Amino acid sequence: VAPLTVRALRFTSTGAQTLGVNQSTLGTITPVFEYSTDGQTWTSWDVTTTLPFGNGTDLYIRGSNTILAAAGNNYTNFTFSTNSPVYCYGNVMHLYDYTQDLTSFPYSTSSRGLKYLFANCTALVRPPSLLATVLSDYCYYYMFHNCASLVFIPKLYNISYSGGSCLDYMFDGCTLIKMSETEDSEYNNECSINTKSSTFIYSSQS
C-alpha cells in the first residue's frame, strides 16, 4: 500500500476495470501522465492505451501538464471500460503537477481547467478531491456530466475566482444526487461553495 503522501490519483474497483482517455476529444492536447500500481514505481503512460485495475489492484495516475483542456471541444476525458464501480482518491491537481500541491490552476488564455474530465464516466461512484482554492474559467465545466453512479460530491471550500463558468453544469446528469439549500433527514451531506454565500446540502439516492 502506497504511503498517504503519494501525490497522485488512486483508482480502485471491486471488479475488473480499465482506465483510458477518449482520443476523439483530445485534438492537439497531449497529456503527460505516469502510472503506477504501488505508488512507488512509475511508468510513462501513452494515453492511446488503456490501463487495467480492480480486483485488488489499484492504479495511480500523476501528471506534468499546463493544459488538460482548451477552448472549443478539446479536452482530456477519462473513460472506463466496464460497469464495475470506480472509486477515485487523491488531489486532482496532481494531474497538473505531482511535485507540489497546487492551489490554483495553471494560467493560460486557452486553458479550460478540467472541463469534461469525467464526463460520461457512468461507473464513477466517488470523485477525487478538488482542493484548488483559486479557480479559472471553465475549470470544472461539465466535469462530472452524466456520471450516473456518482453518490459523493467533493467539497469546495474557500474558493475564489474572477472568471466565468467555473462550476457550470458540473453535476449535470448526475441522477443519483439531489441538492437543496435546506438540511433535513434526507438532505444531510454538506457541500460548501462559500463564494455563492450558500451551503448546499445534497442527498445521495444510492
Side-chain angles (χ1 to χ4, degrees), residues 5-169:
T5 55
V6 63
R7 289 189 169 106
L9 293 188
R10 177 168 65 95
F11 292 90
T12 70
S13 181
T14 54
Q17 188 59 273
T18 69
L19 174 69
V21 171
N22 186 346
Q23 300 299 300
S24 67
T25 65
L26 282 175
T28 58
I29 297 171
T30 306
V32 178
F33 293 134
E34 295 179 332
Y35 72 92
S36 172
T37 57
D38 60 9
Q40 301 177 49
T41 302
W42 295 90
T43 303
S44 178
W45 179 25
D46 178 352
V47 296
T48 63
T49 64
T50 59
L51 302 175
F53 67 98
N55 285 329
T57 300
D58 293 343
L59 176 65
Y60 296 82
I61 301 293
R62 67 186 189 183
S64 301
N65 296 283
T66 55
I67 293 180
L68 289 171
N73 295 319
N74 300 140
Y75 48 85
T76 303
N77 175 218
F78 285 145
T79 63
F80 301 112
S81 61
T82 77
N83 292 325
S84 183
V86 174
Y87 300 80
C88 184
Y89 301 90
N91 182 353
V92 75
M93 298 304 287
H94 292 149
L95 296 180
Y96 281 107
D97 187 351
Y98 67 84
T99 68
Q100 59 179 315
D101 298 321
L102 291 176
T103 57
S104 62
F105 282 84
Y107 177 76
S108 167
T109 55
S110 62
S111 178
R112 291 296 184 267
L114 298 169
K115 73 173 187 180
Y116 287 101
L117 181 65
F118 289 100
N120 301 311
C121 289
T122 56
L124 185 68
V125 174
R126 185 184 188 93
S129 297
L130 308 182
L131 299 182
T133 55
V134 180
L135 307 188
S136 63
D137 286 358
Y138 297 94
C139 62
Y140 297 140
Y141 186 73
Y142 277 101
M143 186 176 183
F144 301 107
H145 172 61
N146 283 343
C147 288
S149 297
L150 194 70
V151 294
F152 297 95
I153 290 182
K155 293 181 179 180
L156 299 169
Y157 286 131
N158 302 316
I159 60 175
S160 64
Y161 56 90
S162 57
S165 301
C166 302
L167 309 174
D168 286 7
Y169 307 103

